[in-house]
Amino acid sequence: MTSEAPTRAYRRLSVEERRSQLLDAALELFAHNAPEDVSLDDVAEAAGVSRPLVYRYFPGGKQQLYEAALRSAAEELEHCFDEPAEGPLTARLSRALDRYLTFVAGHDAGFSALLQGGSVVETSRATAIVDGVRRAAAEHILRHLEVAEPDLRLRMTVRMWITAVEAASLIWLDEGKQPDVAELRDWLVEQFVACVIVTAGRDPQTAAAVRGALAMEAAEGAVGALARRVLPVVGDAAHLL
């Protein structure tokens, strides 16, 4: 009589699947612990693999793994603002923020690791990865404003708004994802409009960009509701139309 032990179904992961598994585990750990407190043994245990396997994929050790995890999250976030030039500016921003906030909501650990971790481990590569997300988002927004060579005030305005979006997203996570994501998205779009209108009062280049954007909003019938929400806060901006 022969007995046959039951076998468990096993699927060998591809190189990319295994790498992705290790990066996901690392992001989760880095999001809740200072990078110096996370060991390769921790990553191996979280991923359910051996320490030598982690080294096989990341021979540079923890620093290489940390930077690769940051880069993985950064690449996804950069794509969020890659929006086609279709429709009024506020609609484009809304679609981009929908993707951005979907990422934040679904990958809160990775988002926290990306935004907070870059200031914990001071290396030029880690800092460049984090800053690259902000620069890519700014470039996309300036392209939608149709400004080929933005001056200092407009660049500062866009970068400040991106910083505000990051801060609001982190607070949103801390507050249990309140308010509702749609309300948060609309509020951030309105903040952007308010910021550029204020800058337009000081900068002719921004004023020209705002006139073009508002003209498209008007053509699409979108400026009415937007104006009712934003203009009372920033003052009468009718001269920009």
Side-chain angles (χ1 to χ4, degrees):
M1 232 180 123
T2 61
S3 63
E4 186 174 328
T7 59
R8 183 177 60 182
Y10 177 77
R11 183 174 70 87
R12 191 180 188 87
L13 297 181
S14 69
V15 171
E16 284 306 312
E17 288 173 331
R18 180 67 73 187
R19 179 181 172 83
S20 177
Q21 178 195 31
L22 294 174
L23 290 177
D24 288 344
L27 275 172
E28 181 70 26
L29 290 169
F30 288 134
H32 298 100
N33 304 274
E36 58 269 22
D37 294 334
V38 177
S39 69
L40 289 183
D41 286 332
D42 294 330
V43 175
E45 181 179 358
V49 300
S50 66
R51 178 188 175 97
L53 184 63
V54 179
Y55 262 115
R56 184 188 306 171
Y57 282 83
F58 300 97
K62 186 172 73 174
Q63 186 62 35
Q64 182 187 8
L65 177 59
Y66 173 73
E67 291 171 5
L70 287 184
R71 193 172 293 107
S72 174
E75 288 173 356
E76 288 194 57
L77 282 172
E78 285 181 14
H79 290 310
C80 291
F81 285 93
D82 188 6
E83 173 66 27
E86 299 173 357
L89 177 62
T90 54
R92 300 179 199 179
L93 284 178
S94 293
R95 292 192 295 267
L97 284 172
D98 277 338
R99 289 192 294 272
Y100 185 90
L101 293 173
T102 296
F103 177 91
V104 172
H107 303 79
D108 50 342
F111 182 79
S112 299
L114 176 67
L115 270 295
Q116 297 175 330
S119 60
V120 174
V121 177
E122 292 296 337
T123 70
S124 59
R125 290 187 299 274
T127 300
I129 291 168
V130 175
D131 193 55
V133 176
R134 298 167 181 145
R135 292 186 180 278
E139 289 172 4
H140 285 305
I141 293 169
L142 290 168
R143 187 158 58 246
H144 288 301
L145 287 169
E146 299 182 357
V147 179
E149 297 182 2
D151 65 15
L152 177 61
R153 287 186 180 87
L154 182 53
R155 284 187 283 113
M156 287 179 67
T157 299
V158 172
R159 289 293 298 271
M160 285 191 298
W161 179 75
I162 291 168
T163 300
V165 170
E166 293 175 358
S169 299
L170 288 171
I171 296 169
W172 183 64
L173 291 175
D174 288 341
E175 295 294 331
K177 300 179 182 177
Q178 293 296 323
D180 176 81
V181 65
E183 180 182 347
L184 176 62
R185 176 203 62 211
D186 291 345
W187 179 50
L188 291 172
V189 171
E190 291 161 11
Q191 283 194 337
F192 177 82
V193 175
C195 287
V196 293
I197 287 176
V198 169
T199 301
R202 294 176 174 269
D203 178 49
Q205 184 188 60
T206 303
V210 171
R211 280 195 297 270
L214 288 177
M216 183 174 292
E217 297 281 339
E220 296 288 335
V223 74
L226 182 68
R228 284 195 298 274
R229 293 195 301 267
V230 176
L231 299 188
V233 179
V234 300
D236 182 13
H239 63 285
L240 295 172
L241 291 170

